[in-house]
Amino acid sequence: MMSEPADPWKPSPELLAAFVDGELYGPEASRVEAYLAEHPEAQAEVADQRRLERLWDRTVPAQPGRAAWQRTLDRIFAGPRRIEPRPRRWTFVAAATALAAALALAVWTGMSRPKSSTPVAPWPVAHNSEVEIVRIDGADVGAIVVGRLPLVGILELANAGEVEITGMQQTNNRPMVQVEGRSPMIWAKLESEQ
Amino acid sequence: MAVAAAAAIAPIAAPSDESLLTGAVVGDRPSLEELFRRYGSLAYRVAFRLLGNEPDALDAVQDGFVKALAALPQFEGRSTFKTWLLRVVSNAALDLGRQRGRRELLVVEPLRDDLGPADDPAPDHALQNEDLRRKLQEALDQLPQAQRQTFVLHAEAELTYREVAETLGISIGTVMSRLFYARQKLRTILRPWMT
């Protein structure tokens, strides 16, 4: 007695979502539709996605008033917005420290070199809390970058003492921990690998 | 005679985005106003979803329009102005979010200064939706930036997968993957409100 061969085909969750989003056409859409008709658990998945859509639609942001629109339009017409720096508690202290350091350097260089008629301008020095690293081009930083690929946005830096490497793993030639030179980098899994 | 009458009432063709852009770049205010009328609201909704408050969202719209117009030579008509603008505005919103950190979400309704008729839903309903909006915003904030941007462009701007892919310069497969993980996380967080 022969049993009927089970249909091994099953749409991936991404394909199912694409069907709900109306992104599938023709035979591909028909195939998913036929699958849904026979699989209640997949229908539940679809219903869940639609519930999220309804929730999203219920929370459409309120539009600004006419005056706010007009102000925005006027500013666009006027050109680039002036960036207003965030107030920082330590800015003054950092600036004073930087100025003192620059002055000390100026005095030191003034004592050790022939005097010049050109005044020495203080060097701008920023405190590390005032710096936001948005990109690192090289591996010449003395810290470990903890992040998730692709590396976008603010990078989290950890000192070596704050991280303990408990194991290393190879996944499709992409090391989970890459140790090159002085700056090991920990790679998190790609979205598609999760 | 009939032909003449028909011609008289035929609507005047709306100027294309391209012609408006040409005008806006050289400082023609009506052209800019028309572009803003066409896409300002959509850009605002995308920025609001990424930032969660009106003042920052309007700043992002402003930055986005200015940058989009300034960088028009890079646009080269390879995509539509809409997707180009949404790319710039959503990037501006993410930059702004990083610069300013998270602001407390405002519970108050935005100030109505358009003096239009009050067409808001019942107050208790509005409050309920406001609460829901805050929950959704908190959930969105927990998504990785790339997933959040992809999801908002698809769900709020109603861009197709292909348009999202073109807007962000990624493959359609990556769009699908990001949407899947974004939805999965949002559903987990928002389960109690998804009735």
Side-chain angles (χ1 to χ4, degrees):
Chain A
M1 183 171 170
M2 289 180 65
S3 60
E4 279 189 27
D7 182 6
W9 187 79
K10 180 184 177 185
S12 67
E14 290 90 342
L15 200 65
L16 208 53
F19 174 79
V20 180
D21 286 334
E23 292 276 342
L24 302 186
Y25 303 95
E28 205 172 21
S30 305
R31 199 175 187 195
V32 175
E33 204 165 16
Y35 180 87
L36 277 171
E38 293 182 3
H39 294 82
E41 75 284 359
Q43 291 170 20
E45 188 71 17
V46 167
D48 221 24
Q49 184 173 328
R50 293 207 164 116
R51 271 194 287 273
L52 182 62
E53 279 173 13
R54 281 197 295 275
L55 190 145
W56 184 270
D57 291 341
R58 280 174 59 193
T59 58
V60 173
Q63 289 288 312
R66 193 176 294 168
W69 278 127
Q70 194 56 49
R71 276 194 301 275
T72 305
L73 182 61
D74 290 343
R75 287 173 186 160
I76 292 169
F77 198 70
R81 187 169 58 87
R82 220 177 45 176
I83 303 296
E84 294 166 16
R86 265 196 298 175
R88 292 175 190 277
R89 192 190 300 177
W90 295 103
T91 300
F92 176 75
V93 177
T97 307
L99 185 60
L103 283 173
L105 186 69
V107 169
W108 180 79
T109 50
M111 285 192 311
S112 59
R113 289 180 184 181
K115 287 190 177 177
S116 162
S117 58
T118 310
V120 178
W123 294 352
V125 179
H127 190 263
N128 61 2
S129 66
E130 295 179 298
V131 177
E132 185 177 88
I133 299 173
V134 294
R135 192 180 67 231
I136 294 178
D137 290 321
D140 56 348
V141 288
I144 296 173
V145 180
V146 183
R148 170 181 296 192
L149 289 172
L151 287 173
V152 290
I154 300 168
L155 299 179
E156 288 180 40
L157 298 179
N159 291 318
E162 296 175 292
V163 178
E164 184 181 358
I165 298 173
T166 56
M168 292 175 70
Q169 182 184 341
Q170 291 277 349
T171 311
N172 295 333
N173 298 326
R174 187 188 301 284
M176 293 298 289
V177 179
Q178 183 181 337
V179 185
E180 284 181 1
R182 296 185 301 112
S183 307
M185 179 173 278
I186 298 178
W187 300 111
K189 285 184 178 177
L190 284 167
E191 282 173 17
S192 56
E193 294 167 350
Q194 287 174 339
Chain B
M1 191 65 179
V3 172
I9 59 167
I12 300 168
S16 67
D17 284 356
E18 289 70 27
S19 66
L20 292 172
L21 284 167
T22 308
V25 165
V26 295
D28 178 47
R29 178 142 185 154
S31 296
L32 176 64
E33 283 179 358
E34 177 58 21
L35 281 172
F36 192 67
R37 192 191 63 75
R38 285 183 191 180
Y39 301 115
S41 175
L42 181 63
Y44 170 78
R45 293 201 327 261
V46 166
F48 189 100
R49 293 289 198 183
L50 291 169
L51 288 161
N53 68 81
E54 182 182 311
D56 284 352
L58 284 172
D59 279 351
V61 170
Q62 180 192 338
D63 283 356
F65 262 90
V66 170
K67 285 176 184 168
L69 293 175
L72 212 55
Q74 294 163 32
F75 168 49
E76 294 173 346
R78 281 178 295 192
S79 57
T80 63
F81 176 68
K82 178 178 137 184
T83 55
W84 164 257
L85 178 71
L86 290 177
R87 174 197 177 108
V88 181
V89 167
S90 59
N91 283 339
L94 293 174
D95 285 346
L96 209 58
R98 278 196 297 269
Q99 284 166 21
R100 295 185 176 173
R102 277 188 56 190
R103 282 199 194 199
E104 279 298 307
L105 296 174
L106 300 177
V107 182
V108 292
E109 287 290 314
L111 185 66
R112 290 185 67 94
D113 49 13
D114 55 0
L115 303 176
D119 53 357
D120 292 338
D124 57 340
H125 191 249
L127 268 178
Q128 208 177 27
N129 279 353
E130 183 55 35
D131 188 41
L132 192 61
R133 194 187 62 71
R134 277 191 291 131
K135 296 289 180 201
L136 182 57
Q137 196 64 47
E138 285 167 12
L140 273 175
D141 287 348
Q142 292 182 46
L143 296 181
Q145 186 175 280
Q147 282 178 20
R148 192 156 34 118
Q149 188 177 22
T150 305
F151 186 76
V152 166
L153 285 172
H154 174 67
E156 191 60 51
E158 297 182 347
L159 298 188
T160 64
Y161 287 9
R162 181 172 294 281
E163 286 173 326
V164 174
E166 284 171 4
T167 301
L168 298 179
I170 55 178
S171 70
I172 290 181
T174 304
V175 172
M176 290 171 76
S177 169
R178 285 183 186 175
L179 288 178
F180 171 70
Y181 288 112
R183 281 180 173 132
Q184 203 177 36
K185 185 149 193 178
L186 290 176
R187 279 157 54 179
T188 304
I189 299 169
L190 297 168
R191 178 71 56 204
W193 291 273
M194 282 176 54
T195 51

